[in-house]
Every structure is written in structure tokens, then in C-alpha cells.
Amino acid sequence: MSIAAANVAPNFLLRPSITAEELKRLQDPVALFEYDGRDSDGAPYFVYTVAGWLDGMNIATFQGGATVGGQVIIINADTREQADFLAADGLGATLNALDKDEQNTRDAHKALERLSSVGEQERLNQAIRPDKNESFVDDAESIQKLRGDDVILTAGRVGVPSIKSVFPSLH
């Protein structure tokens, strides 16, 4: 009796795992095909990991690629060609989103600096004005990303809701 290797799914728990921060630094990132199978409804799915160079070292091993935070990429598609395209496109979109997220965080910190440069009373006055300064509104919206970083706005509340939800006339 023998086990057919094609019927054995890889054990991804034993794979190297990288963080999202490391994924952003990955050079020549690739969605690496690992396995295909059928779900309980008989529909095909395809499993991918990531490969590339991190700090000058190849993260792939003889077993295959690395997981990201212990997760693999699972693609539902009719063909391997479609799945390959979707996995590569999804990895690219993820990398772009991570880059955009980093830029948004930098922009939010700059907005926080601008808001902090005026006194608390001035911020409160701006928040309650019916004809709000557009840059104040943009800065207040921008810092919402920093909630959880103990951002204090206007009357000293932490994690204030979106200024547009507080002032519906802005919609």
C-alpha cells in the first residue's frame, strides 16, 4: 500500500511565516502555487504562499513559500491559469494597500501636528462652527486612523467618532 503524493496537502504550519511589515519589504514578491483541491461542493480551489527576498535572503525553502501571519492565499477559480492571475493580482493589491496605509498613517500624524499647533479652545470652536474650515475637517477626518493611539481631539475625548457623523450637515 502506498500514499499518492498528489493527494497529500502540504502542512503550512511548518512553513516560515512573515509579518505584513516584512511583506512590505519583500523584494521580487511572488504568489507561489502550492496545492489544488476541491471543496465540499466539488468546486476547485488553489492554495498559494509568498516567495521573494527579505533582507537579502530567499524566504522560500525546498518545501515552498512562506505564509503571511500563518495564513495562505486561497483562490476559488475554475482553472489554474485564472487562479495564478488572481493570486498575483491579489498580492499586488495587498502590497499597494500596505503602502497606502503607511502613507495614510504619515499623513494622519502630520494632520495631528497641525491640529495640535492650535489651542484646544480653537479646535473646539472650529468643531462647532457651521461653516467649518475645510482643512480642519480634512485633518479631523485624517486623524481618525490614529484612534487607539490615545489621540485627543477638541474637548479631550479619546477616539472621537468621525466629525462627519457628529456634524451631519457636512455630508
Side-chain angles (χ1 to χ4, degrees), residues 7-18:
N7 293 333
V8 179
N11 184 351
F12 296 107
L13 298 174
L14 302 176
R15 297 294 180 84
S17 182
I18 62 173

Side-chain angles (χ1 to χ4, degrees), residues 81-144:
E81 292 78 19
Q82 289 174 336
D84 287 349
F85 172 79
L86 292 171
D89 188 52
L91 180 58
T94 298
L95 289 168
N96 288 340
L98 289 171
D99 286 341
K100 185 177 181 183
D101 187 54
E102 189 173 303
Q103 181 60 47
N104 287 344
T105 299
R106 284 193 299 269
D107 291 346
H109 281 286
K110 289 177 185 174
L112 183 59
E113 285 177 26
R114 287 190 297 273
L115 288 170
S116 297
S117 70
V118 298
E120 185 177 313
Q121 185 62 46
E122 177 57 27
R123 288 194 309 268
L124 185 56
N125 289 340
Q126 280 290 328
I128 62 174
R129 287 180 63 162
D131 60 333
K132 289 174 190 31
N133 179 311
E134 196 170 311
S135 63
F136 172 80
V137 173
D138 292 343
D139 284 348
E141 283 294 317
S142 180
I143 68 168
Q144 293 304 311

